[in-house]
Amino acid sequence: MNAQQLVDERGDLWLALAPLWLDREPSERDYAQMVEVVQRFDMTFKELEWMFRLEMAPVMARHQLSIASEWREFNNRKLMQQLVSHNLRLTGWRRKSWALFSGLTTMMVRHRWNELMNRVMVARGET
């Protein structure tokens, strides 16, 4: 897969979910927008979970831990470059390593992710 394919297939979803890592709780409006974007993608909850853990969290957690990083909003262009770069390298041992450590990279936003997935379940009519 090349960079353009990644942007075309995942870009909107990545950018919609990025607010989960900001230094504020997402608003009702943020969650509503995230649910709307997630609904446009035909992904199971398992696929969404792995996308969250492997494709996004390793990049986004660096923003949370960096003193000089963005805290209130992201530069979407720069963020997309970082996400694409990470995902182009996400093969073999890197994928396995990130899977192993994904609990660490997701723990600071796990409660937000769970809230989002609950809202997606409601939107999908699942219990």
Side-chain angles (χ1 to χ4, degrees):
M1 186 172 299
N2 66 38
Q4 189 58 52
Q5 285 175 304
L6 280 171
V7 170
D8 293 344
E9 291 179 15
R10 292 282 211 255
D12 289 342
L13 184 59
W14 289 339
L15 292 178
L17 299 179
L20 293 171
W21 280 271
L22 290 174
D23 188 38
R24 62 171 172 78
E25 286 298 318
S27 67
E28 288 297 319
R29 184 175 169 204
D30 292 331
Y31 277 122
Q33 180 183 6
M34 286 183 236
V35 168
E36 180 183 318
V37 173
V38 167
Q39 291 293 81
R40 290 196 321 243
F41 288 80
D42 188 27
M43 295 176 74
T44 66
F45 286 103
K46 187 174 183 177
E47 291 169 330
L48 287 166
E49 176 71 22
W50 282 108
M51 182 272 314
F52 166 68
R53 292 171 69 174
L54 298 179
E55 295 177 17
M56 291 190 74
V59 173
M60 304 306 293
R62 291 182 199 133
H63 285 277
Q64 281 186 313
L65 298 174
S66 172
I67 294 171
S69 188
E70 295 89 359
W71 291 67
R72 295 288 173 202
E73 64 181 39
F74 294 109
N75 174 325
N76 286 346
R77 185 170 183 264
K78 181 180 172 186
L79 182 60
M80 187 61 69
Q81 289 172 336
Q82 292 168 339
L83 287 163
V84 166
S85 177
H86 165 75
N87 280 277
L88 288 174
R89 294 187 315 264
L90 192 59
T91 59
W93 68 269
R94 282 190 173 102
R95 179 174 281 283
K96 291 175 184 171
S97 295
W98 283 119
L100 180 63
F101 293 106
S102 64
L104 294 172
T105 59
T106 60
M107 77 177 163
M108 293 176 70
V109 297
R110 176 54 69 180
H111 66 286
R112 294 174 183 173
W113 177 256
N114 291 342
E115 175 64 26
L116 175 62
M117 290 299 99
N118 286 335
R119 290 169 186 246
V120 170
M121 285 177 69
V122 168
R124 290 181 178 181
E126 299 179 22
T127 57

